[in-house]
């Protein structure tokens, strides 16, 4: 059986129409902003999913550590930040599960549909079930579902293009803009609902947004290319019993670890870091030892290793907008804006706002420059320099109390510029470097880098306090700037390893 991959193949001539140029990746011939028409549908689905995801995540840290008299659960602030980091890391860690199910069992499209349903269940649990039970059920369902959806939706976008299509990076940037439109408006509206009626109404609004996204997908899924139903590397039926046993054994192990206290809320983020590192090593090893892969495919996997490290380092700082920066917004910022007391959760909307404004600018620049644009390793190096600089900017306000809100806007602007150099380009890179045999699992590797970085954002939060801001922000900023310089120095040999991919 021939293995397929996102964007595998090139435009061909439709049978019986020798004079017409037929693109199998866009059979309708219709376009959206110069891209394949189906990009608009995936753009919209992801917009609503991110509306619900970020709308919920903007509130959940405060829901955990606010006192019960304020509608919260009264969990220790540091423990709550660690749980948020562990949850965020688990979202990306579960992308391996989603990728494996897509590649080996039911294909990308059906995996995405099942994941969306699971996310819907999670949001309903947070909004309807009170106390810790609703929190636990909701976060687990959303983490597992979002992991599956993240991997497969990116893969579905990749199926709309050939590997050589010059619109590919721009298309991913437009898709990424949809992500951030949802990320912008989700926290704005759920924060309003929190302030007016309480946390559970904010979570309910997130659930309504997810319902829109799920409905949108069910109504438009038939427009995707037929290749989305292909199972790239089918699992033999003889192995089904073995994998069911492994899955049940894993679930039982997690339950036992919680019941015995080995796993607990205080060490969840560290546990996710450990599991992510082990999973990363296992996945890289599995692909590199596969003798069916070509020398070029092996070389590209090796080239992805430093890109993985750079991505994890970037997101260890960037994802602190949901941990340390969220606490900073609640405790250090002057949130009084001309008499209006701004909810601290609205700080989460600053980054998506800048993404919304600048995504098309970056997409236009990359399209205009074409092959003259900086190669991907160079873009990653620039991203590390920018996120490191953003953290160093915190040092200017160490002695200010309270801190003018304009500073956090500036800091997140610099961080967002770094994100635009890395995130949409990284998604595109994962699909381009993917071996034909492992199209979705290569995207899962990119998401594992996000898992590692996000979990580290929770682990690092335990070292933060208002009293040690100089050491905390200064050390993380300086180390990341140093990594950015190393990445720029190594960009040429990494590019050589990518074998024709930029």
């Amino acid at each position: 059986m021939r293995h397929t991959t996102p964007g595998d193949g090139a435009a061909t001539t439709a049978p019986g129409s020798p004079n017409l140029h037929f693109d199998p990746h866009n059979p309708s011939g219709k376009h959206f902003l110069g891209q394949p028409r189906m990009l608009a549908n995936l753009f919209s689905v992801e917009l609503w999913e991110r509306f619900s995801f970020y709308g919920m995540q903007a509130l959940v840290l405060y829901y955990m550590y606010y006192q019960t008299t304020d509608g919260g659960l009264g969990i220790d602030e540091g423990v709550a930040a660690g749980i948020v980091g562990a949850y965020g890391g688990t979202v990306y860690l579960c992308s391996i599960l989603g990728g494996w199910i897509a590649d080996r069992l039911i294909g990308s499209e059906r995996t995405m549909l099942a994941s969306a349903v699971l996310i819907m269940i999670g949001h309903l649990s947070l909004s309807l079930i009170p106390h810790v039970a609703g929190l636990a059920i909701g976060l687990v369902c959303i983490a597992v579902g979002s992991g599956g959806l993240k991997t497969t939706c990116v893969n579905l976008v990749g199926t709309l293009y050939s590997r050589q299509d010059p619109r590919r990076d721009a298309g991913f940037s437009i898709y990424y803009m949809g992500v951030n439109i949802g990320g912008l408006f989700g926290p704005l509206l759920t924060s309003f609902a929190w302030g007016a009626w309480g946390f559970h109404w904010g979570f309910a609004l997130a659930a309504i947004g997810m319902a829109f996204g799920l409905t949108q997908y069910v109504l438009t899924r038939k427009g995707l290319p037929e290749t989305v139903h292909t199972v790239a590397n089918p699992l033999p039926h003889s192995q089904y019993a073995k994998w069911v046993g492994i899955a049940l054994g894993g679930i039982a192990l997690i339950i036992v670890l919680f019941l015995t206290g080995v796993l607990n809320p205080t060490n969840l983020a560290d546990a996710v870091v450990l599991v992510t590192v082990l999973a990363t090593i296992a996945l890289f090893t599995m692909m590199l030892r596969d003798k069916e892969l070509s020398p070029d495919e092996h070389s590209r996997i090796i080239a992805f290793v430093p890109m993985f490290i750079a991505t994890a380092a970037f997101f260890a700082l960037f994802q602190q907008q949901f941990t340390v920066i969220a606490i900073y917004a609640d405790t250090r910022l002057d949130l009084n804006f001309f008499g209006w007391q701004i909810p601290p959760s609205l700080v989460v909307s600053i980054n998506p706002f800048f993404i919304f404004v600048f995504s098309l600018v970056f997409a236009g620049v990359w399209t205009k420059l074409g092959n003259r644009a900086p190669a991907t390793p160079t873009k990653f190096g620039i991203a590390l320099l920018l996120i490191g600089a953003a953290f160093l900017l915190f040092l200017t306000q160490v002695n200010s109390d309270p801190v003018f809100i304009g500073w956090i806007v500036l800091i997140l602007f610099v961080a967002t510029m770094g994100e635009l150099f890395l995130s949409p380009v990284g998604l595109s890179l994962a699909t381009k470097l993917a071996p034909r045999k492992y199209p979705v699992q290569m995207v899962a590797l990119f998401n594992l880098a996000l898992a590692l970085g996000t979990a580290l954002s929770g682990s690092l939060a335990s070292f933060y306090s208002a009293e040690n801001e100089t050491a905390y922000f200064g050390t993380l900023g300086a180390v990341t700037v140093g990594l950015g310089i190393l990445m720029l120095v190594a960009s040429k040999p990494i590019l050589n390893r990518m074998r024709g991919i930029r």
Side-chain angles (χ1 to χ4, degrees):
M1 176 177 178
R2 182 180 182 273
H3 298 293
T4 61
T5 191
D8 185 26
T12 61
T13 303
S17 304
N19 296 322
L20 296 178
H21 194 62
F22 176 71
D23 184 354
H25 304 279
N26 184 28
S28 70
K30 298 179 181 179
H31 293 85
F32 165 67
L33 298 177
Q35 306 291 327
R37 179 68 176 272
M38 195 59 199
L39 181 65
N41 301 65
L42 296 175
F43 171 98
S44 182
V45 170
E46 187 68 356
L47 184 156
W48 284 112
E49 190 274 330
R50 292 290 91 181
F51 173 96
S52 65
F53 183 88
Y54 284 108
M56 178 279 292
Q57 193 155 341
L59 308 186
V60 73
L61 176 66
Y62 305 121
Y63 175 57
M64 282 192 277
Y65 79 70
Y66 272 36
Q67 295 304 309
T68 54
T69 52
D70 297 319
L73 299 177
I75 298 173
D76 176 79
E77 188 179 276
V79 173
I83 292 172
V84 170
Y87 154 75
T90 302
V91 169
Y92 296 104
L93 186 60
C94 285
S95 65
I96 284 191
L97 176 63
W100 188 88
I101 290 172
D103 275 355
R104 309 221 62 186
L105 295 177
I106 59 176
S108 296
E109 193 278 327
R110 294 183 184 91
T111 303
M112 180 171 165
L113 178 60
S115 298
V117 171
L118 194 57
I119 294 169
M120 186 77 237
I121 293 170
H123 284 297
L124 288 174
S125 299
L126 271 169
S127 60
L128 298 176
I129 303 175
H131 309 305
V132 174
L135 175 74
I137 295 170
L139 291 185
V140 169
C141 288
I142 295 170
V144 176
S146 293
L149 189 141
K150 277 179 174 295
T151 305
T152 51
C153 196
V154 170
N155 185 53
L156 294 182
V157 173
T159 65
L160 304 179
Y161 303 90
S162 70
R163 287 176 181 255
Q164 292 76 30
D165 194 327
R167 303 172 300 167
R168 193 180 180 101
D169 279 5
F172 273 94
S173 291
I174 293 170
Y175 166 79
Y176 201 64
M177 185 180 69
V179 170
N180 286 280
I181 292 174
L184 168 63
F185 288 104
L188 288 174
L189 296 179
T190 59
S191 294
F192 172 78
W194 166 32
W197 306 297
F199 283 108
H200 287 285
W201 282 99
F203 295 141
L205 194 58
I208 291 170
M210 188 61 216
F212 276 121
L214 183 56
T215 302
Q216 159 86 22
Y217 183 64
V218 169
L219 293 175
T220 62
R221 57 197 286 245
K222 62 183 178 182
L224 288 164
E226 283 299 317
T227 54
V228 301
H229 300 294
T230 302
V231 180
N233 185 24
L235 182 71
H237 287 282
S238 60
Q239 295 187 25
Y240 275 33
K242 180 185 78 171
W243 284 101
V244 168
I246 291 173
L248 293 176
I251 293 171
L253 177 61
I254 292 171
I255 293 172
V256 169
L257 290 175
F258 269 108
L259 291 176
T260 58
V262 175
L263 271 182
N264 57 73
T266 62
N267 66 10
L268 272 179
D270 295 336
V272 173
V273 169
L274 176 61
V275 170
T276 304
V277 170
L278 294 176
T280 299
I281 293 171
L283 198 51
F284 268 120
T285 301
M286 178 194 70
M287 289 195 287
L288 287 171
R289 293 182 64 182
D290 192 330
K291 295 181 180 179
E292 293 183 14
L293 302 187
S294 69
D296 280 354
E297 288 175 323
H298 276 283
S299 182
R300 288 168 183 159
I301 293 169
I302 293 170
F304 196 70
V305 174
M307 314 293 274
F308 177 96
I309 295 170
T311 301
F314 179 89
F315 280 94
L317 273 62
F318 183 79
Q319 292 292 77
Q320 290 189 42
Q321 62 182 305
F322 301 113
T323 56
V324 169
I325 295 176
I327 295 171
Y328 188 94
D330 191 34
T331 59
R332 296 278 281 115
L333 289 186
D334 180 2
L335 294 171
N336 190 298
F337 189 71
F338 295 104
W340 175 44
Q341 192 66 21
I342 302 171
S345 54
L346 285 188
V347 169
V348 175
S349 289
I350 295 173
N351 162 250
F353 171 76
F354 285 131
I355 292 287
F356 175 72
V357 172
F358 290 101
S359 281
L360 285 180
V361 175
F362 272 71
V365 169
W366 301 147
T367 301
K368 181 74 172 178
L369 290 176
N371 289 333
R372 293 179 290 114
T376 303
T378 302
K379 291 176 182 176
F380 276 44
I382 294 170
L384 288 173
L385 292 178
L386 287 168
I387 193 67
F391 263 57
L392 293 177
L393 282 172
F394 276 108
L395 299 181
T396 64
Q397 300 303 302
V398 166
N399 297 318
S400 300
D401 189 22
V403 175
F404 173 53
I405 194 171
W407 279 102
I408 206 70
V409 174
L410 174 62
I411 288 166
L412 290 175
F413 169 76
V414 176
T416 301
M417 294 302 101
E419 184 188 12
L420 284 168
F421 270 95
L422 188 145
S423 260
V425 177
L427 291 173
S428 178
L429 178 73
T431 64
K432 288 190 286 188
L433 294 182
R436 296 180 185 276
K437 190 175 177 181
Y438 302 106
V440 179
Q441 290 192 53
M442 196 66 172
V443 176
L445 260 178
F446 178 75
N447 284 329
L448 270 179
L450 303 182
L452 181 57
T454 304
L456 282 171
S457 76
S459 295
L460 291 170
S462 64
F463 298 102
Y464 168 77
S465 69
E467 293 72 32
N468 75 341
E469 284 182 357
T470 299
Y472 185 83
F473 292 123
T475 300
L476 290 179
V479 168
T480 309
V481 167
L483 287 175
I485 294 171
L486 285 175
M487 192 71 189
L488 291 176
V489 171
S491 60
K492 188 172 182 179
I494 294 171
L495 189 61
N496 290 338
R497 278 279 183 183
M498 289 165 61
R499 301 290 174 91
I501 303 294
R502 285 182 54 86

